[in-house]
């Protein structure tokens, strides 16, 4: 029997040394940040080359082809950037980031698990949250107990709280051990 999505994501956290800062939830998807993509790339030994396929004269439209290899596996994909899907002043770099996210996630087999890179869509960027709550002792203890049975849920909840470094480190370490 295959692994559940939660098991696959737990394996990913462990293999790639991801932290709660490397991922966030967006509706039905798990979104990996730029640092998370680079950790996955390194952990899976993915090599990528890029080629600019098209760059408009005004540099506002860019299409970049990424070719990636992981062991004997090879695949290619594209990253594109245009005024309609980009709010940044650096479309070439944005197209490259999108191509890298896509190639890494394809080769690592994570698209089939509903995992996307935050650079793939402006909608995927983590939004600044309203003021975070302090983590009181009762909630901290509840998280430490819950991490044993559902470490991913606890890691996902960390972003809601204003944690001390000690609290963050102890909960993250407990989650990593449980994964």
């Amino acid at each position: 029997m295959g692994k559940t999505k939660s098991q696959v994501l737990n394996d990913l956290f462990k293999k790639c040394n991801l932290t709660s800062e490397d991922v966030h939830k967006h509706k039905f998807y798990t979104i990996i940040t730029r640092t998370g993509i680079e950790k996955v790339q390194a952990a899976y030994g993915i090599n990528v080359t890029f080629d600019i396929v098209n760059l408009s004269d005004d540099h506002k439209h860019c299409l970049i082809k990424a070719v990636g290899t992981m062991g004997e596996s090879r695949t290619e994909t594209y990253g594109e950037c245009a005024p309609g899907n980009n709010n940044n002043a650096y479309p070439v770099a944005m197209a490259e980031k999108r191509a890298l996210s896509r190639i890494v996630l394809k080769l690592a087999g994570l698209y089939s698990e509903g995992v996307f890179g935050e650079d793939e869509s402006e909608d995927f960027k983590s939004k600044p949250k309203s003021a975070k709550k302090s983590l009181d002792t009762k909630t901290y203890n509840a998280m430490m107990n819950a991490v044993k049975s559902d470490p991913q849920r606890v890691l996902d909840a960390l972003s809601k709280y204003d944690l001390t470094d000690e609290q963050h480190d102890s909960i993250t370490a407990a989650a990593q051990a449980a994964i």
Side-chain angles (χ1 to χ4, degrees):
M1 186 163 135
K3 292 183 177 183
T4 66
K5 180 179 176 178
S6 181
Q7 290 169 326
V8 170
L9 293 177
N10 283 337
D11 290 348
L12 175 70
F13 262 75
K14 190 173 189 176
K15 179 174 183 164
C16 301
N17 293 317
L18 296 176
T19 68
S20 61
E21 295 166 354
D22 296 319
V23 299
H24 63 87
K25 292 289 185 187
H26 178 269
K27 296 181 185 177
F28 305 107
Y29 309 115
T30 298
I31 307 302
I32 299 184
T33 65
R34 164 73 17 228
T35 57
I37 291 292
E38 291 180 6
K39 287 178 181 181
V40 172
Q41 181 184 11
Y44 281 79
I46 296 172
N47 294 307
V48 182
T49 58
F50 301 98
D51 184 34
I52 296 177
V53 175
N54 187 3
L55 180 59
S56 65
D57 291 337
D58 63 2
H59 288 206
K60 291 184 179 180
H61 298 79
C62 183
L63 179 65
I64 291 184
K65 178 180 179 179
V67 176
T69 57
M70 182 177 74
E72 297 297 315
S73 297
R74 179 189 180 279
T75 194
E76 55 188 58
T77 192
Y78 296 87
E80 60 93 20
C81 193
N85 65 14
N86 177 45
N87 296 326
N88 298 310
Y90 42 90
V92 176
M94 198 71 227
E96 181 185 31
K97 287 179 182 183
R98 290 175 177 168
L100 179 66
S101 290
R102 290 178 180 146
I103 201 75
V104 167
L105 295 173
K106 275 186 169 192
L107 282 167
L110 295 170
Y111 271 137
S112 62
E113 302 300 328
V115 177
F116 296 91
E118 75 173 348
D119 294 322
E120 294 184 72
S121 170
E122 294 296 318
D123 291 342
F124 289 169
K125 301 288 184 193
S126 97
K127 308 268 189 284
K129 306 283 186 207
S130 56
K132 295 181 180 184
K133 301 181 250 178
S134 292
L135 186 63
D136 60 52
T137 304
K138 183 178 177 181
T139 305
Y140 172 81
N141 291 335
M143 289 177 115
M144 290 301 283
N145 286 327
V147 80
K148 298 169 191 165
S149 61
D150 196 352
Q152 182 62 49
R153 183 174 61 91
V154 172
L155 288 171
D156 291 343
L158 290 182
S159 63
K160 298 175 185 174
Y161 295 95
D162 185 21
L163 305 170
T164 66
D165 288 340
E166 184 179 315
Q167 289 172 326
H168 181 272
D169 292 348
S170 63
I171 292 171
T172 303
Q176 293 283 341
I179 294 173

